[in-house]
Amino acid sequence: MYKGILHTHYLVVTLFLLIYAIKTVLLLSNKNDLLTTFSKKTKLFEIIVSFLFLGTGIYLTTQLPLGGKFDYLFWIKLMMVFGSIPIAVIGFRKHNKLLAAISLLLITGAFGLAEVYHKRKAIPKDTIEIASNDGKTLYENNCKLCHGSDGKLGMAGAKDISVTVLDVEAIKTIIMHGKNAMPAAAVNDVQANAIAEYVNTNIKGH
Ligand code: HEC
């Protein structure tokens, strides 16, 4: 479910950006008649895409573990998206090139930020505040948000790790490198090992 919505979100955001970019290019190159025709022809499509964009975005936000490490990027992204909308509306209505360009820049920036947010792997090791090497503490700090204390929470599409069949090594690899929607944890080798051991003995099979 989560993954499907995530992919739909990416698709509609891309379509949304495409429509937007075409309209901005037409406006910037003074092709006002073409812009009017294009806007009319794509109106219904644009409404559908916008609805899907917002709907999937809202759903994904509700699935976001609060207090995650990348929260600030997420909020900047959200502000950029919502900031660009009124600017675009005014820009296109008044045929103001500067506003239209700013708006496209904002929304493209938000898209780029979302990519960074998604692709970004672990924070550099020396920024880790937690000095602890205790598996339980590390688990609570790095994994509980998505997996819950018992491993069953399933936030942000997280798998139920109480039923995992992975061994310590495989769990450690996922912790260090992440997997699909799961980001790599900002922990060193010893810490990753401690978490993997903790998951293997206290969560797996419980
Ligand atoms: C941002 C949410 C998030 C956080 C934080 C997170 N995970 Fe995950 N985890 C996921 C998702 C999503 C998957 C499913 C990945 C896939 O297979 O597509 C997953 C999968 C796993 C799996 C694989 C389970 C299986 O049987 O395939 C393990 C093990 C795991 N996580 C352990 C951890 C541990 C340990 C931590 C803490 C260091 C952690 N996760 C932190 C989201 C998260």
Side-chain angles (χ1 to χ4, degrees):
M1 169 82 169
Y2 179 84
K3 260 194 202 160
I5 304 265
L6 189 67
H7 289 147
T8 311
H9 188 67
Y10 270 120
L11 181 71
V12 291
V13 168
T14 310
L15 288 172
F16 187 82
L17 273 175
L18 205 67
I19 296 175
Y20 228 76
I22 293 172
K23 282 168 82 169
T24 309
V25 168
L26 290 176
L27 182 66
L28 292 183
S29 53
N30 291 318
K31 301 217 165 57
N32 285 337
D33 291 345
L34 214 58
L35 175 61
T36 313
T37 317
F38 181 80
S39 302
K40 263 194 197 136
K41 288 234 160 93
T42 54
K43 194 163 186 176
L44 182 66
F45 185 64
E46 197 182 332
I47 291 173
I48 296 170
V49 166
S50 308
F51 262 105
L52 283 173
F53 178 7
L54 271 165
T56 50
I58 290 167
Y59 171 80
L60 291 173
T61 307
T62 63
Q63 295 298 302
L64 208 73
L66 290 174
K69 290 201 178 71
F70 306 128
D71 265 1
Y72 70 101
L73 276 181
F74 176 77
W75 292 115
I76 295 173
K77 173 182 122 184
L78 216 61
M79 281 194 297
M80 283 168 94
V81 170
F82 284 105
S84 72
I85 293 171
I87 299 177
V89 170
I90 298 168
F92 281 107
R93 189 168 295 162
K94 302 211 154 153
H95 283 207
N96 185 315
K97 292 178 184 170
L98 184 65
L99 287 183
I102 290 175
S103 156
L104 181 66
L105 223 63
L106 270 179
I107 196 121
T108 316
F111 188 68
L113 209 60
E115 281 297 297
V116 173
Y117 173 89
H118 199 70
K119 296 256 159 64
R120 194 156 134 189
K121 291 293 175 183
I123 293 167
K125 309 281 187 264
D126 50 72
T127 64
I128 304 168
E129 295 150 35
I130 324 135
S132 168
N133 281 339
D134 169 53
K136 184 175 186 340
T137 311
L138 287 165
Y139 179 87
E140 309 253 305
N141 288 327
N142 294 285
C143 324
K144 207 173 112 179
L145 278 170
C146 295
H147 291 286
S149 303
D150 56 4
K152 299 181 172 92
L153 185 64
M155 272 305 232
K159 280 196 180 161
D160 179 351
I161 50 175
S162 69
V163 298
T164 188
V165 291
L166 301 174
D167 62 9
V168 177
E169 267 313 304
I171 296 171
K172 184 180 163 187
T173 305
I174 294 182
I175 296 170
M176 300 284 287
H177 303 287
K179 192 183 171 198
N180 300 324
M182 173 172 155
V187 294
N188 61 32
D189 198 74
V190 176
Q191 292 170 323
N193 218 39
I195 303 173
E197 290 284 357
Y198 175 76
V199 170
N200 194 50
T201 44
N202 294 289
I203 293 181
K204 187 171 139 184
H206 287 264

Coordinates of all heavy atoms in Angstrom, one line a residue, residues 136-184:
K136 N 19.7 -2.1 22.9 CA 18.3 -1.6 23.1 C 18.2 -0.1 23.0 O 17.3 0.4 22.3 CB 17.9 -2.1 24.5 CG 16.5 -1.8 24.9 CD 16.2 -2.3 26.2 CE 14.8 -2.3 26.7 NZ 13.8 -1.6 26.5
T137 N 19.1 0.6 23.6 CA 19.1 2.1 23.5 C 19.2 2.5 22.0 O 18.5 3.4 21.5 CB 20.3 2.7 24.3 OG1 20.3 2.1 25.5 CG2 20.1 4.2 24.4
L138 N 20.1 1.9 21.3 CA 20.3 2.3 19.9 C 19.1 1.9 19.1 O 18.7 2.7 18.2 CB 21.5 1.5 19.3 CG 22.9 2.0 19.8 CD1 24.0 1.0 19.5 CD2 23.2 3.3 19.1
Y139 N 18.5 0.8 19.4 CA 17.3 0.4 18.7 C 16.2 1.5 18.9 O 15.5 1.9 18.0 CB 16.8 -1.0 19.1 CG 15.5 -1.4 18.4 CD1 15.5 -2.0 17.2 CD2 14.2 -1.1 18.9 CE1 14.4 -2.3 16.5 CE2 13.1 -1.4 18.3 CZ 13.1 -2.0 17.0 OH 12.0 -2.3 16.4
E140 N 16.0 1.8 20.2 CA 15.0 2.8 20.5 C 15.2 4.1 19.8 O 14.3 4.8 19.3 CB 15.0 3.1 22.0 CG 14.9 1.8 22.9 CD 13.5 1.6 23.5 OE1 13.1 2.6 24.2 OE2 12.9 0.6 23.3
N141 N 16.5 4.5 19.7 CA 16.8 5.8 19.0 C 16.7 5.8 17.5 O 16.5 6.8 16.9 CB 18.2 6.3 19.5 CG 18.2 6.7 20.9 OD1 17.2 7.3 21.4 ND2 19.3 6.5 21.6
N142 N 17.0 4.6 16.9 CA 17.1 4.6 15.5 C 16.0 3.8 14.7 O 15.9 4.0 13.5 CB 18.5 4.0 15.1 CG 19.6 4.9 15.5 OD1 19.9 5.9 14.9 ND2 20.3 4.5 16.6
C143 N 15.3 3.0 15.4 CA 14.5 2.1 14.7 C 13.0 2.1 15.1 O 12.1 1.8 14.4 CB 14.9 0.6 14.9 SG 16.7 0.4 14.9
K144 N 12.8 2.5 16.4 CA 11.5 2.5 17.0 C 10.5 3.3 16.2 O 9.3 2.9 16.1 CB 11.6 3.0 18.5 CG 10.5 2.4 19.4 CD 10.8 2.8 20.8 CE 9.7 3.8 21.3 NZ 9.9 4.1 22.7
L145 N 10.9 4.5 15.7 CA 10.0 5.3 15.0 C 9.2 4.6 13.9 O 8.0 4.8 13.8 CB 10.8 6.4 14.2 CG 11.3 7.6 15.0 CD1 12.3 8.4 14.2 CD2 10.1 8.4 15.4
C146 N 9.9 3.7 13.2 CA 9.2 3.0 12.1 C 8.7 1.6 12.5 O 7.7 1.2 12.1 CB 10.1 2.9 10.9 SG 10.5 4.5 10.2
H147 N 9.6 0.9 13.3 CA 9.3 -0.5 13.6 C 8.6 -0.7 14.9 O 8.0 -1.8 15.2 CB 10.6 -1.3 13.6 CG 11.2 -1.4 12.2 ND1 10.6 -2.2 11.2 CD2 12.2 -0.8 11.6 CE1 11.4 -2.2 10.1 NE2 12.3 -1.3 10.3
G148 N 8.6 0.3 15.8 CA 8.0 0.2 17.1 C 8.8 -0.7 18.0 O 9.7 -1.4 17.6
S149 N 8.5 -0.6 19.3 CA 9.3 -1.3 20.3 C 9.4 -2.8 20.1 O 10.3 -3.5 20.3 CB 8.8 -1.1 21.7 OG 8.7 0.2 22.0
D150 N 8.2 -3.3 19.6 CA 8.1 -4.8 19.4 C 8.4 -5.2 17.9 O 8.3 -6.4 17.6 CB 6.7 -5.3 19.8 CG 5.6 -4.5 19.1 OD1 5.9 -3.7 18.2 OD2 4.4 -4.8 19.4
G151 N 8.7 -4.2 17.1 CA 9.1 -4.5 15.7 C 7.9 -4.6 14.8 O 8.0 -4.8 13.6
K152 N 6.7 -4.4 15.4 CA 5.4 -4.7 14.6 C 4.8 -3.4 14.0 O 3.7 -3.5 13.4 CB 4.4 -5.5 15.4 CG 4.9 -6.8 15.9 CD 3.8 -7.5 16.7 CE 4.2 -9.0 17.0 NZ 4.9 -9.2 18.3
L153 N 5.3 -2.3 14.4 CA 4.6 -1.0 14.1 C 4.2 -0.7 12.6 O 3.1 -0.4 12.3 CB 5.3 0.2 14.7 CG 4.7 1.6 14.6 CD1 3.4 1.6 15.4 CD2 5.6 2.6 15.1
G154 N 5.2 -0.9 11.8 CA 5.0 -0.8 10.3 C 4.7 0.6 9.8 O 4.0 0.8 8.9
M155 N 5.4 1.6 10.5 CA 5.3 3.0 10.0 C 6.1 3.1 8.7 O 7.1 2.5 8.5 CB 5.8 4.0 11.0 CG 4.9 4.5 12.0 SD 3.4 5.2 11.3 CE 3.4 6.7 12.1
A156 N 5.6 4.1 7.8 CA 6.3 4.4 6.6 C 6.7 3.1 5.8 O 7.7 3.0 5.1 CB 7.6 5.1 6.9
G157 N 5.8 2.1 5.8 CA 6.0 0.9 5.0 C 7.0 -0.1 5.6 O 7.4 -1.0 4.9
A158 N 7.3 0.2 6.9 CA 8.3 -0.7 7.5 C 7.8 -2.1 7.6 O 6.6 -2.4 7.9 CB 8.7 -0.2 8.9
K159 N 8.7 -3.1 7.5 CA 8.3 -4.5 7.6 C 8.2 -4.9 9.1 O 8.9 -4.3 9.9 CB 9.3 -5.4 6.9 CG 9.2 -5.4 5.4 CD 9.9 -6.6 4.8 CE 9.7 -6.7 3.3 NZ 10.7 -7.5 2.7
D160 N 7.4 -5.9 9.3 CA 7.3 -6.4 10.7 C 8.5 -7.2 11.0 O 8.7 -8.3 10.4 CB 6.0 -7.3 10.8 CG 5.8 -7.9 12.2 OD1 6.8 -7.8 13.0 OD2 4.8 -8.5 12.4
I161 N 9.4 -6.7 11.8 CA 10.7 -7.5 12.0 C 10.6 -8.5 13.1 O 11.6 -9.2 13.3 CB 11.9 -6.5 12.2 CG1 11.6 -5.5 13.3 CG2 12.3 -5.9 10.9 CD1 12.9 -4.6 13.6
S162 N 9.4 -8.6 13.7 CA 9.3 -9.7 14.7 C 9.2 -11.1 14.0 O 9.4 -12.1 14.5 CB 8.1 -9.5 15.6 OG 6.9 -9.6 14.9
V163 N 8.8 -11.0 12.7 CA 8.6 -12.2 11.9 C 9.7 -12.4 10.9 O 9.6 -13.2 10.0 CB 7.3 -12.3 11.2 CG1 6.1 -12.3 12.2 CG2 7.1 -11.1 10.2
T164 N 10.8 -11.6 11.0 CA 11.9 -11.7 10.0 C 12.6 -13.0 10.0 O 12.6 -13.6 11.1 CB 12.9 -10.5 10.1 OG1 13.8 -10.5 9.0 CG2 13.7 -10.6 11.4
V165 N 13.1 -13.4 8.9 CA 13.8 -14.7 8.9 C 15.3 -14.4 8.7 O 16.1 -15.3 8.5 CB 13.4 -15.6 7.7 CG1 12.0 -16.1 8.0 CG2 13.4 -14.9 6.4
L166 N 15.7 -13.1 8.7 CA 17.1 -12.7 8.5 C 17.9 -13.0 9.7 O 17.5 -13.0 10.8 CB 17.1 -11.2 8.2 CG 16.3 -10.7 6.9 CD1 16.4 -9.2 6.8 CD2 16.9 -11.4 5.7
D167 N 19.2 -13.3 9.4 CA 20.1 -13.6 10.5 C 20.8 -12.2 10.9 O 20.6 -11.2 10.3 CB 21.1 -14.7 10.2 CG 22.0 -14.3 9.0 OD1 21.9 -13.1 8.6 OD2 22.8 -15.1 8.5
V168 N 21.7 -12.3 12.0 CA 22.4 -11.1 12.5 C 23.1 -10.4 11.4 O 23.0 -9.1 11.2 CB 23.3 -11.5 13.6 CG1 24.1 -10.3 14.1 CG2 22.6 -12.1 14.8
E169 N 23.8 -11.1 10.5 CA 24.6 -10.5 9.5 C 23.7 -9.7 8.5 O 24.0 -8.6 8.1 CB 25.4 -11.5 8.7 CG 26.8 -11.7 9.3 CD 27.6 -10.4 9.5 OE1 27.8 -9.7 8.6 OE2 28.1 -10.2 10.6
A170 N 22.7 -10.4 8.1 CA 21.8 -9.7 7.1 C 21.1 -8.5 7.7 O 20.9 -7.5 7.0 CB 20.7 -10.8 6.6
I171 N 20.7 -8.6 9.0 CA 20.1 -7.5 9.6 C 21.1 -6.3 9.7 O 20.7 -5.2 9.4 CB 19.6 -7.9 11.1 CG1 18.5 -8.9 10.9 CG2 19.0 -6.6 11.8 CD1 18.0 -9.6 12.3
K172 N 22.3 -6.6 10.1 CA 23.3 -5.6 10.2 C 23.5 -4.9 8.8 O 23.7 -3.7 8.8 CB 24.6 -6.3 10.6 CG 25.8 -5.3 10.9 CD 27.0 -6.0 11.3 CE 28.2 -5.0 11.1 NZ 29.5 -5.7 11.4
T173 N 23.6 -5.7 7.8 CA 23.7 -5.1 6.4 C 22.6 -4.1 6.1 O 22.9 -3.0 5.6 CB 23.7 -6.2 5.3 OG1 24.7 -7.1 5.7 CG2 24.0 -5.6 4.0
I174 N 21.4 -4.4 6.5 CA 20.3 -3.5 6.2 C 20.4 -2.3 7.1 O 20.1 -1.2 6.6 CB 18.9 -4.2 6.5 CG1 18.7 -5.3 5.4 CG2 17.8 -3.3 6.5 CD1 17.4 -6.1 5.5
I175 N 20.8 -2.5 8.3 CA 21.0 -1.3 9.2 C 22.1 -0.3 8.6 O 21.9 0.9 8.6 CB 21.5 -1.8 10.6 CG1 20.4 -2.6 11.3 CG2 21.8 -0.6 11.5 CD1 20.8 -3.3 12.6
M176 N 23.2 -0.9 8.2 CA 24.3 -0.1 7.6 C 23.9 0.6 6.3 O 24.4 1.7 6.0 CB 25.5 -0.9 7.4 CG 26.1 -1.6 8.7 SD 26.9 -0.5 9.8 CE 28.4 -0.2 9.0
H177 N 23.2 -0.1 5.5 CA 23.0 0.4 4.1 C 21.6 0.8 3.7 O 21.4 1.3 2.7 CB 23.5 -0.7 3.1 CG 25.0 -1.0 3.3 ND1 26.0 -0.2 3.0 CD2 25.6 -2.1 3.8 CE1 27.2 -0.7 3.3 NE2 26.9 -1.9 3.8
G178 N 20.6 0.4 4.6 CA 19.3 0.7 4.3 C 18.7 -0.3 3.3 O 19.5 -1.1 2.7
K179 N 17.4 -0.2 3.0 CA 16.9 -1.0 1.9 C 15.6 -0.3 1.5 O 14.7 -0.1 2.3 CB 16.6 -2.4 2.5 CG 16.2 -3.4 1.4 CD 15.9 -4.7 2.0 CE 15.3 -5.7 0.9 NZ 14.6 -6.8 1.5
N180 N 15.5 -0.1 0.2 CA 14.3 0.6 -0.4 C 13.9 1.8 0.4 O 14.7 2.8 0.5 CB 13.2 -0.3 -0.6 CG 13.5 -1.5 -1.5 OD1 14.2 -1.3 -2.5 ND2 13.0 -2.7 -1.2
A181 N 12.7 1.8 1.0 CA 12.3 3.0 1.7 C 12.9 3.1 3.1 O 12.7 4.1 3.8 CB 10.8 2.9 1.9
M182 N 13.7 2.2 3.5 CA 14.4 2.3 4.8 C 15.7 2.9 4.6 O 16.6 2.4 3.9 CB 14.5 0.9 5.5 CG 15.4 1.0 6.7 SD 15.4 -0.6 7.6 CE 17.0 -0.4 8.5
P183 N 16.0 4.0 5.3 CA 17.3 4.7 5.2 C 18.3 4.0 6.0 O 18.0 3.3 7.0 CB 17.0 6.1 5.8 CG 15.9 5.9 6.8 CD 15.1 4.8 6.2
A184 N 19.6 4.1 5.7 CA 20.7 3.6 6.5 C 20.7 4.3 7.8 O 20.4 5.5 7.9 CB 22.0 3.8 5.8

